[in-house]
């Protein structure tokens, strides 16, 4: 997929990985619509001289409005970066917590693909990039909703690639560990609960915390090469292989790691 001259939509583009992706696309000569629920997307887009859309992609209406704006501003969309995401509630969470995180971290991807894939099939070309997480290959200590939705986002991207890859629809899924963004550190780091701090440490201490711009460069190279699984932290692949080679051993190891993070003794 040649990026220069293409049109792209990036959700969650006000800051963090989304803003970095939009910047990297812009630098490669793409026309980009930056989308976010936060009003700050206006300033981010202005800095790049690119159009923006402010709204909520966690609803079907929001996705419809976004793609209508993309049609007006860009014409046919060549690349769609389903990047908007939330960390969700600590622990198991409640009914409303699950509704919210499923809508943001998973259904937003499904709704966008539902609308874009038929267009791309007709054209014989298009590209979908899903931001998941290493938690989608491994797990997330402390946050059930985040772990489950990132697993699901990766699985959905995998299904898209298997099902439509021979019809010209390219798919990649981004699965980093720690990235220097608000989703890692929280909006108010000083107010995090013990469970939230354990979840944060599970990510920030597992490997290097990368800058969003570095992650974006890795994503651009992967899209140009049409690589499915994007791992800015290469060590995630070793962890994934270890998990698959002996699942019970891996579970026991994760229990011990969780106990260490929470300040307790080793789990049996």
């Amino acid at each position: 997929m040649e990026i220069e001259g293409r049109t792209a939509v990036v959700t969650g583009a006000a800051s963090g990985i989304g803003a970095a992706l939009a910047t990297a696309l812009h630098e490669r000569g793409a026309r980009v619509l930056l989308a976010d629920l936060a009003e700050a997307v206006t300033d981010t887009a202005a800095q790049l001289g690119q159009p923006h859309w402010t709204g909520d992609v966690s609803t079907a209406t929001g996705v419809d409005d976004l793609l209508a704006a993309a049609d007006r501003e860009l014409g046919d969309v060549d690349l769609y970066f389903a990047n908007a995401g939330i960390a969700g509630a600590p622990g198991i969470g409640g009914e409303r917590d699950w509704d919210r995180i499923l809508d943001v971290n998973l259904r937003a991807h499904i709704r966008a693909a539902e609308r874009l894939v038929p267009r791309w099939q007709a054209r014989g070309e298009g590209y979908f990039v899903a931001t998941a997480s290493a938690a989608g290959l491994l797990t997330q200590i402390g946050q059930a909703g985040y772990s489950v939705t990132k697993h699901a986002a990766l699985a959905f991207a995998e299904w898209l690639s298997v099902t439509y890859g021979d019809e010209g629809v390219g798919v990649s899924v981004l699965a980093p560990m720690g990235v220097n963004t608000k989703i890692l550190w929280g909006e108010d780091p000083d107010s995090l609960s013990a469970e939230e701090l354990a979840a944060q440490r599970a990510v920030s201490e597992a490997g290097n915390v990368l800058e969003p711009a570095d992650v974006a460069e890795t994503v651009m190279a992967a899209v140009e090469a049409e690589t499915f699984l994007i791992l800015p932290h290469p060590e995630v692949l070793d962890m994934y292989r270890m998990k698959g080679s002996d699942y019970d051993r891996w579970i026991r190891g994760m229990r011990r790691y969780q106990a260490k993070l929470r300040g307790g003794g080793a789990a049996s």
Side-chain angles (χ1 to χ4, degrees):
M1 169 60 73
E2 181 67 36
I3 292 175
E4 184 177 2
R6 300 289 187 170
T7 59
V9 173
V10 181
T11 68
S15 61
I17 292 175
L21 289 171
T23 300
L25 288 162
H26 169 71
E27 290 173 347
R28 283 163 176 74
R31 178 96 166 124
V32 190
L33 177 65
L34 287 77
D36 206 297
L37 184 61
E39 291 291 342
V41 72
T42 304
D43 295 333
T44 307
Q47 291 170 12
L48 298 177
Q50 297 284 0
H52 73 278
W53 174 88
T54 305
D56 189 354
V57 293
S58 71
T59 68
T61 300
V63 174
D64 285 336
D65 289 347
L66 169 59
L67 293 179
D71 289 339
R72 292 192 304 271
E73 297 287 349
L74 307 177
D76 290 335
V77 174
D78 298 313
L79 302 105
Y80 189 92
F81 291 78
N83 173 74
I86 59 173
I92 294 177
E95 196 75 15
R96 290 184 179 179
D97 299 318
W98 280 101
D99 285 342
R100 180 62 179 160
I101 200 166
L102 283 165
D103 277 337
V104 177
N105 289 6
L106 176 62
R107 291 190 183 115
H109 298 204
I110 296 169
R111 287 162 176 155
E114 180 185 9
R115 290 152 176 78
L116 288 168
V117 167
R119 301 188 196 181
W120 292 343
Q121 285 179 286
R123 291 166 47 192
E125 185 180 53
Y127 212 102
F128 191 94
V129 181
T131 296
S133 167
L137 290 166
L138 304 170
T139 194
Q140 176 63 40
I141 287 174
Q143 293 163 306
Y146 189 81
S147 182
V148 169
T149 54
K150 293 304 184 178
H151 273 74
L154 193 150
F156 180 65
E158 185 179 87
W159 183 88
L160 282 179
S161 186
V162 170
T163 306
Y164 299 110
D166 288 339
E167 298 180 50
V169 179
V171 182
S172 292
V173 60
L174 171 61
M177 286 197 297
V179 183
N180 187 20
T181 67
K182 290 180 181 179
I183 203 167
L184 173 60
W185 305 118
E187 293 287 343
D188 184 5
D190 294 331
S191 68
L192 296 179
S193 67
E195 194 163 24
E196 289 169 325
L197 282 170
Q200 181 192 92
R201 289 181 59 203
V203 178
S204 63
E205 296 178 9
N208 293 331
V209 175
L210 303 179
E211 292 301 320
D214 295 327
V215 174
E217 289 299 315
T218 302
V219 173
M220 294 301 111
V223 170
E224 290 171 340
E226 300 193 8
T227 300
F228 176 76
L229 185 58
I230 309 173
L231 296 176
H233 297 84
E235 62 267 34
V236 169
L237 186 56
D238 293 330
M239 297 176 187
Y240 184 55
R241 287 170 173 159
M242 186 181 301
K243 174 183 176 180
S245 68
D246 190 336
Y247 228 122
D248 289 312
R249 179 184 177 188
W250 180 81
I251 290 285
R252 290 193 298 270
M254 290 300 288
R255 288 174 182 162
R256 288 192 295 271
Y257 186 42
Q258 176 177 255
K260 176 183 175 182
L261 292 169
R262 291 178 175 176
S268 59

